[in-house]
Amino acid sequence: MQLSFEFFPPRTEKGKQNLKLVRQELTVVNPHYFSTTFGAGGTTQEATLETVLDIQANDNISAAPHLSCIDSDKLKILSLLKQYQAAGINRVVALRGDIPSGVRDIGDFHYANELVEFIRHEFGNYFHIEVAAYPEMHPQATNMNTDIEHFVNKIKAGADGAITQYFYNADAYFRFVDEVQKNGIDVPITPGIMPITNYDQLLRFSNMCGAEIPRWIEKRLSTYGDDLASLSAFGFDVVSNLCDQLKSQGVESFHFYSMNKTQPSLLLAQELK
Ligand code: FAD
């Protein structure tokens, strides 16, 4: 079983200390790698570099920086990748990113497949490249078929695997994997697992990224109000059942959106081991 955990780059000293502790606590499940998100348009880019260099230097676990190409150019991306290579980092999550509001010139890259091609062209097979997958369709895609075609293009451009947007409906994941396989693609598509601990935040994220919260789950979550313990217990049950379902049907890798917290990702991961 391959387990990976995603962090966002902390910017305060307190956040940095907290993340060090979280990383240490998560090592008990022997993670395959720790990934760190990257803000389009420069917002968290320095912090991403700092976080991944710290992971690579101090944890005995591979660091995988996310890298979004929108609003960037080939020189900047090349320079960043060279810094990663110099630090011994050989895994990246290659993304388009979201177009920052007000930006007119989106730079040298339009879509993630162009970034994958660029990395392969410049670095050959040095980097292991993951890309994003959307079992419930990317929110800007016109339909599922073209979205799958675009996904297939990213793999054909040289990606080694994919991590999905989070979902709470295992059927959407399995159908997506089936359809991708029908296109002759057989790379690992790792489900992204989002623990449920905060109703408002989950609604906000889901509205932005197009991940569906099934009605029955949303109705239940909405009844807990300030009772965070009951909400978390219910959320844990839902996500733990989802992981069981995925594992029982042969899924062998899981990526946790940890939100820089040890729990409940650690407990969910321990159940899978
Ligand atoms: P793409 O694969 O380029 O697809 C974007 C859209 O364009 C899709 O609708 C696709 O169908 C369409 N498309 C692709 N190619 C073409 C084409 N040739 N012609 C027309 N349409 C096309 N965002 C961040 O900013 N930082 C992060 O660290 C980050 N990490 C993420 C990690 C994961 C696992 C996931 C699932 C998402 C992450 N995101 C992150 C969000 C992601 O950047 C957004 O969802 C973004 O809108 C799309 O990025 P992509 O790489 O999937 O884009």
Side-chain angles (χ1 to χ4, degrees):
M1 182 67 63
Q2 287 192 348
L3 305 170
S4 52
F5 297 87
E6 180 171 314
F7 309 126
F8 58 84
R11 274 180 278 184
T12 63
E13 208 33 57
K14 196 171 162 209
K16 289 177 192 174
Q17 290 314 317
N18 168 64
L19 184 57
K20 278 186 196 288
L21 186 65
V22 169
R23 278 154 43 193
Q24 208 181 341
E25 288 171 340
L26 290 172
T27 55
V28 296
V29 287
N30 194 19
H32 192 46
Y33 64 90
F34 284 152
S35 85
T36 306
T37 60
F38 185 81
T43 47
T44 64
Q45 299 183 356
E46 277 301 314
T48 302
L49 180 64
E50 187 186 330
T51 306
V52 293
L53 293 181
D54 191 35
I55 292 171
Q56 188 71 13
N58 296 308
D59 300 358
N60 212 2
I61 290 164
S62 300
H66 295 208
L67 181 59
S68 60
C69 59
I70 206 81
D71 194 25
S72 189
D73 59 52
K74 290 184 175 174
L75 274 181
K76 273 192 213 156
I77 299 271
L78 193 59
S79 145
L80 197 47
L81 286 167
K82 282 185 175 163
Q83 288 183 73
Y84 290 144
Q85 189 179 34
I89 293 169
N90 62 358
R91 182 178 267 279
V92 289
V93 182
L95 303 144
R96 183 196 68 173
D98 288 316
I99 302 168
S101 56
V103 168
R104 284 180 177 213
D105 175 13
I106 57 164
D108 286 347
F109 302 93
H110 299 87
Y111 298 107
N113 64 303
E114 296 164 24
L115 176 61
V116 176
E117 252 169 45
F118 179 72
I119 300 173
R120 284 285 174 249
H121 180 260
E122 296 295 327
F123 295 89
N125 283 332
Y126 175 77
F127 285 103
H128 177 104
I129 306 175
E130 299 279 346
V131 289
Y134 303 85
E136 295 175 343
M137 203 176 91
H138 183 265
Q140 284 153 7
T142 40
N143 65 62
M144 197 74 212
N145 289 341
T146 53
D147 204 29
I148 287 178
E149 261 173 48
H150 295 145
F151 174 75
V152 167
N153 286 342
K154 292 195 279 194
I155 306 298
K156 288 187 174 161
D160 298 290
I163 305 167
T164 75
Q165 184 56 273
Y166 67 86
F167 56 86
Y168 297 107
N169 181 347
D171 287 345
Y173 168 81
F174 287 115
R175 187 161 283 263
F176 180 83
V177 172
D178 272 357
E179 288 179 17
V180 167
Q181 285 176 348
K182 278 186 201 144
N183 280 276
I185 299 294
D186 201 19
V187 297
I189 300 178
T190 300
I193 304 295
M194 177 67 94
I196 300 176
T197 55
N198 182 323
Y199 176 54
D200 291 337
Q201 191 184 52
L202 187 69
L203 280 190
R204 208 170 54 246
F205 284 172
S206 299
N207 281 337
M208 278 188 312
C209 72
E212 190 201 19
I213 309 174
R215 184 181 148 86
W216 71 273
I217 297 179
E218 189 181 339
K219 290 289 166 209
R220 284 189 180 247
L221 290 174
S222 70
T223 60
Y224 292 115
D226 292 337
D227 182 0
L228 294 185
S230 302
L231 184 143
S232 295
F234 171 72
F236 186 87
D237 247 20
V238 166
V239 179
S240 166
N241 283 337
L242 172 69
C243 291
D244 276 354
Q245 224 180 322
L246 294 167
K247 185 183 172 188
S248 69
Q249 292 187 58
V251 174
E252 289 173 348
S253 56
F254 289 80
H255 181 80
F256 290 92
Y257 294 107
S258 78
M259 308 301 293
N260 292 12
K261 293 193 174 109
T262 305
Q263 299 296 0
S265 295
L266 178 59
L267 221 49
L268 290 163
Q270 281 170 321
E271 282 191 343
L272 285 166
K273 273 273 171 183

